[in-house]
Amino acid sequence: MTTKYTIVSIDDSKAVHAFLDRCLSEGPGQDFCFLHAMGVQEGLVMIADNKNRVAAVLLDWEMPDITGYDGLPMILNKWPDLKVIILTSKNNPDDIMKMLERGAKEYMMKPFTPDILFDKLNTVIAG
């Protein structure tokens, strides 16, 4: 099987990474593979090492070292066309607007289902 889209997941939660890998067994997951980074710095290296293959980034907002809020411009300054989806439990409309204004393409609330995940990824990648 050939993977169509490589997604870098930047999240400090091993449970989120494990859930993403489990989502691959769902029907729509067959077109994706996830590369996992436990923080923004590791994610920047992973994106650089795979820059020609990365279709999108899943970026957690709340991480201990560099937050997604601070990490988003770090990613987009290097790769302005990269599509970033914010993952978070924050549901305040002002928070959502802040991230979209900073350049995020989409916002996904935790917890999410495989269907929501792949719908968001397909929408962002196609758009």
Side-chain angles (χ1 to χ4, degrees), residues 41-53:
Q41 292 294 351
E42 184 181 349
L44 291 169
V45 170
M46 197 168 285
I47 295 166
D49 288 349
N50 296 280
K51 64 183 171 190
N52 295 327
R53 296 180 344 168

Side-chain angles (χ1 to χ4, degrees), residues 16-75:
V16 168
H17 293 298
F19 177 74
L20 291 172
D21 284 340
R22 279 194 310 275
C23 288
L24 294 177
S25 64
E26 300 287 323
Q30 63 192 355
D31 290 338
F32 297 90
C33 82
F34 293 105
L35 303 177
H36 301 290
M38 295 302 290
V40 171
Q41 292 294 351
E42 184 181 349
L44 291 169
V45 170
M46 197 168 285
I47 295 166
D49 288 349
N50 296 280
K51 64 183 171 190
N52 295 327
R53 296 180 344 168
V54 177
V57 172
L58 299 174
L59 179 62
D60 184 28
W61 184 317
E62 298 173 288
M63 293 182 283
D65 295 335
I66 299 172
T67 65
Y69 184 80
D70 293 328
L72 180 60
M74 295 169 72
I75 293 167

Side-chain angles (χ1 to χ4, degrees), residues 49-119:
D49 288 349
N50 296 280
K51 64 183 171 190
N52 295 327
R53 296 180 344 168
V54 177
V57 172
L58 299 174
L59 179 62
D60 184 28
W61 184 317
E62 298 173 288
M63 293 182 283
D65 295 335
I66 299 172
T67 65
Y69 184 80
D70 293 328
L72 180 60
M74 295 169 72
I75 293 167
L76 294 178
N77 284 341
K78 291 184 179 204
W79 302 282
D81 296 329
L82 194 55
K83 296 167 181 174
V84 179
I85 298 172
I86 301 300
L87 301 180
T88 187
S89 57
K90 290 177 171 274
N91 63 1
N92 182 316
D94 290 338
D95 289 333
I96 295 169
M97 285 309 301
K98 282 181 199 175
M99 290 305 249
L100 295 174
E101 288 170 357
R102 270 188 108 102
K105 296 297 181 201
E106 195 49 86
Y107 196 92
M108 192 163 46
M109 296 296 301
K110 292 178 183 178
F112 52 87
T113 65
D115 286 339
I116 291 170
L117 170 67
F118 294 120
D119 283 348

